[in-house]
Amino acid sequence: MKFNFDRKSITFKLWAYFISFAAFLMIVLWFLQIFFLNNYYQAMKVSETTKLASIIASQYGQDDFIETIRSVSFTNDLYIHIETSDGTIVFSPVDAEVRKPYGYIKEMEMVKQELINNNSLNSSLIIPESTTGTNTLAYATFLHRENGSDIILYIFAPLFPVESTVGILRDQLFYVTVISLLLAFIISFYLSNRISQPIRSITNSARELSKGNYKIKFQGGHYSEIIDLADTLTYTSLELEKTYLLQKDLIANVSHELRTPLTMVKSYAEMIRDLSGDNPEKRKEHIKIIIDEADRLDLLVDDMLTLSKMQSGVFSIEKSNFDLVAAVKGLLDSYSLLVENEGYQIVFEAPVSVEVYADRAKILQVFSNLINNGVKYCGEDKTVIITIIEKSDCIRCQVLDHGMGISKKELASIWDRYYKASTNHVRTTTGSGLGLSIVKEIINQHSGKYGVESRLGKGSMFWFELKK
Ligand code: ADP
């Protein structure tokens, strides 16, 4: 255990609260016991006596009236006496000898005066007894009222001095006070340590995290709230690490992607300046390369912009109803040059028409990106097969090729920005490395599903499904 003298620390605060609470309780107890015990005892006696008197009064006139008085008197150590207002004894205890029959004459007179003078239903007096120190509680009430001959019930009870009791209590209270303060001290230390120790460890871990140690684990300790906090922070550090790695990759990839075409542009421009400037044929060839590279840059920048706009939410999707089959057919027209001149085969299998509710331009962009990839990676047989299947709850679109395929290891990563599967990273295939990230983003915005099935050397089948 480590004591933290910081006055704002949990340890100090808890300790202070516990001690104050225990001290407050003790003060209240001391006060009540020592100063008010006597008053409390007398008040209790009066209320008890009043209750007993009302029990006796309720039995007045019944057969077992005398029995009731006897038993009440015996069990409660009371002297009970009933007399008419002119002094005729109605009831006096049989064992009057033992209970000093006339010992209460003075008290009886006093309480009788009080009762009659106040003209109240009952009255009680506490009469001090200087010789013995035992005060007397004298209580009187009317049992029966009839002009001139009222019947009055008197009850007398000894009030023993409480000083000796107070002495005992004081001793006990002293021990209770010491023990409770000690306990408050120990418990507050124990508790505060259990709370503050994990927080301290989290703070240390956070410090490590700020230095770039993303592998740090946050330990939560014993309380759900702190465990939650620690788990959240551990998760956050993992996410931060991912973002950091992505950012690193991104910069490396972007600069790499930009550098290659720029180097080409520069070297071919220099070539034209120094060598082929006067040779129209060579010059034309070199200028074509420059234009191709510029196109490549253009494509890269375009894709980067599209993706960043989509991810920042600038582009929202605008859905409408349209015939997907007709739209894809229209898109395929732009591939006719490729089919005619370069021997590619683009097969389209679909029902006559399929109505969808989606963003037309964006869905066509998805097709275009997938078909472009199919064309880029289709390999020897130069065939890309596009299929649209109408299912009961969704529309499934597939783009299949018989190319080199993608290894299992790389399947999960191809949807990441700037990722290029190593085996396919051939310079001749143009691409920004963003095509599939854009596909993923668009399908996500449509709350659709997407995926790929692929086997190395056999080909790949990219698919996505749009809800109906
Ligand atoms: P790129 O512009 O490089 O094609 P994409 O995001 O479209 O970027 O694709 C990411 C990577 O996934 C590609 O570099 C390629 O390695 C792999 N890939 C995509 N489509 C196919 C496919 N049909 N066959 C094999 N590999 C593919």
Side-chain angles (χ1 to χ4, degrees):
M1 270 193 227
K2 187 178 144 212
F3 186 72
N4 195 342
F5 276 99
D6 176 3
R7 291 170 64 107
K8 280 190 171 169
S9 67
I10 292 179
T11 312
F12 183 81
K13 285 262 150 91
L14 258 184
W15 176 80
Y17 290 146
F18 260 80
I19 296 286
S20 322
F21 182 63
F24 173 74
L25 273 189
M26 286 307 114
I27 289 171
V28 171
L29 263 181
W30 274 89
F31 212 66
L32 286 182
Q33 303 284 36
I34 311 300
F35 297 106
F36 292 120
L37 192 64
N38 201 25
N39 293 347
Y40 183 70
Y41 170 63
Q42 290 183 356
M44 283 290 295
K45 241 357 204 191
V46 171
S47 96
E48 208 177 282
T49 309
T50 314
K51 233 182 273 161
L52 292 171
S54 74
I55 292 175
I56 295 170
S58 71
Q59 296 287 317
Y60 179 64
Q62 311 257 336
D63 288 347
D64 53 356
F65 180 58
I66 300 296
E67 259 320 295
T68 308
I69 297 178
R70 286 231 168 83
S71 86
V72 167
S73 151
F74 184 73
T75 45
N76 297 287
D77 194 21
L78 301 173
Y79 180 84
I80 300 177
H81 185 89
I82 302 176
E83 235 184 60
T84 57
S85 49
D86 51 13
T88 314
I89 294 176
V90 176
F91 171 84
S92 197
V94 193
D95 52 349
E97 289 293 331
V98 193
R99 293 175 184 271
K100 53 172 188 173
Y102 301 110
Y104 289 121
I105 288 176
K106 179 186 81 190
E107 287 83 355
M108 196 160 99
E109 208 43 53
M110 284 167 80
V111 76
K112 183 177 172 185
Q113 283 310 317
E114 176 92 3
L115 182 72
I116 291 167
N117 290 350
N118 286 356
N119 202 16
S120 55
L121 273 183
N122 57 44
S123 81
S124 56
L125 280 180
I126 288 165
I127 298 151
E129 198 89 49
S130 48
T131 44
T132 57
T134 306
N135 297 343
T136 304
L137 165 67
Y139 177 90
T141 182
F142 291 108
L143 274 186
H144 179 76
R145 300 201 72 166
E146 212 177 275
N147 233 357
S149 63
D150 299 331
I151 298 176
I152 304 172
L153 164 72
Y154 297 94
I155 301 178
F156 302 96
L159 294 177
F160 298 104
V162 292
E163 272 70 32
S164 63
T165 320
V166 169
I168 296 170
L169 281 178
R170 194 178 294 142
D171 282 354
Q172 280 187 355
L173 261 183
F174 175 74
Y175 292 119
V176 171
T177 307
V178 171
I179 290 172
S180 47
L181 285 180
L182 214 69
L183 271 183
F185 199 77
I186 293 171
I187 292 175
S188 64
F189 257 105
Y190 175 71
L191 262 186
S192 65
N193 222 55
R194 268 169 83 94
I195 296 173
S196 61
Q197 197 276 328
I199 296 180
R200 270 201 295 273
S201 123
I202 287 176
T203 311
N204 288 338
S205 302
R207 236 173 247 141
E208 281 293 303
L209 179 65
S210 69
K211 286 182 199 150
N213 182 2
Y214 297 107
K215 291 274 178 287
I216 196 85
K217 261 206 151 256
F218 288 83
Q219 304 289 350
H222 313 277
Y223 301 98
S224 331
E225 289 89 342
I226 307 180
I227 293 173
D228 275 355
L229 173 68
D231 289 350
T232 313
L233 284 172
T234 306
Y235 176 73
T236 309
S237 62
L238 286 179
E239 289 300 301
L240 272 179
E241 184 182 24
K242 271 195 216 156
T243 316
Y244 170 72
L245 291 178
L246 205 74
Q247 203 182 9
K248 234 171 66 174
D249 275 7
L250 201 88
I251 293 170
N253 285 330
V254 170
S255 41
H256 174 80
E257 291 303 317
L258 291 176
R259 170 162 303 142
T260 325
L262 277 177
T263 318
M264 300 278 273
V265 168
K266 189 169 174 240
S267 41
Y268 277 90
E270 280 170 354
M271 208 122 78
I272 295 169
R273 183 193 66 195
D274 299 338
L275 300 171
S276 57
D278 301 330
N279 181 340
E281 228 158 76
K282 281 268 176 223
R283 191 179 59 209
K284 212 173 155 195
E285 194 185 307
H286 291 167
I287 287 177
K288 187 182 176 299
I289 295 176
I290 292 178
I291 293 173
D292 283 352
E293 292 302 323
D295 282 347
R296 198 192 288 262
L297 278 173
D298 198 34
L299 185 105
L300 177 66
V301 173
D302 257 5
D303 279 357
M304 280 167 71
L305 274 178
T306 314
L307 189 65
S308 85
K309 275 185 192 162
M310 253 182 327
Q311 284 179 336
S312 62
V314 178
F315 275 167
S316 55
I317 51 170
E318 285 166 26
K319 287 185 177 179
S320 63
N321 278 313
F322 66 94
D323 180 4
L324 185 62
V325 176
V328 174
K329 267 187 191 149
L331 175 72
L332 290 180
D333 285 346
S334 59
Y335 289 87
S336 55
L337 261 184
L338 213 63
V339 175
E340 280 160 25
N341 297 347
E342 302 195 27
Y344 283 94
Q345 232 198 319
I346 296 184
V347 183
F348 183 38
E349 294 168 354
V352 184
S353 80
V354 172
E355 185 88 351
V356 286
Y357 181 64
D359 187 318
R360 190 173 192 277
K362 296 247 167 67
I363 294 297
L364 286 184
Q365 165 130 47
V366 170
F367 269 103
S368 155
N369 287 5
L370 293 180
I371 296 169
N372 286 346
N373 279 352
V375 169
K376 267 189 275 176
Y377 305 109
C378 64
E380 303 279 282
D381 81 342
K382 292 193 162 186
T383 307
V384 179
I385 304 167
I386 302 146
T387 320
I388 296 179
I389 305 161
E390 190 165 10
K391 292 189 169 184
S392 57
D393 59 335
C394 67
I395 292 146
R396 186 181 168 94
C397 307
Q398 298 173 172
V399 178
L400 181 141
D401 66 68
H402 302 117
M404 59 243 305
I406 305 159
S407 70
K408 273 213 168 71
K409 212 175 81 205
E410 285 167 320
L411 266 184
S413 322
I414 55 168
W415 305 94
D416 292 342
R417 276 178 284 177
Y418 297 107
Y419 185 83
K420 293 191 165 195
S422 51
T423 42
N424 297 337
H425 199 184
V426 194
R427 176 70 194 144
T428 47
T429 57
T430 48
S432 61
L434 293 174
L436 290 180
S437 317
I438 294 173
V439 168
K440 171 173 129 180
E441 199 67 30
I442 293 177
I443 302 300
N444 278 341
Q445 284 191 1
H446 280 82
S447 316
K449 290 182 191 156
Y450 61 86
V452 56
E453 281 156 32
S454 186
R455 278 176 58 200
L456 264 186
K458 298 273 177 206
S460 321
M461 195 260 283
F462 282 82
W463 62 268
F464 64 91
E465 288 177 354
L466 294 175
K467 270 191 238 152
K468 268 190 167 171

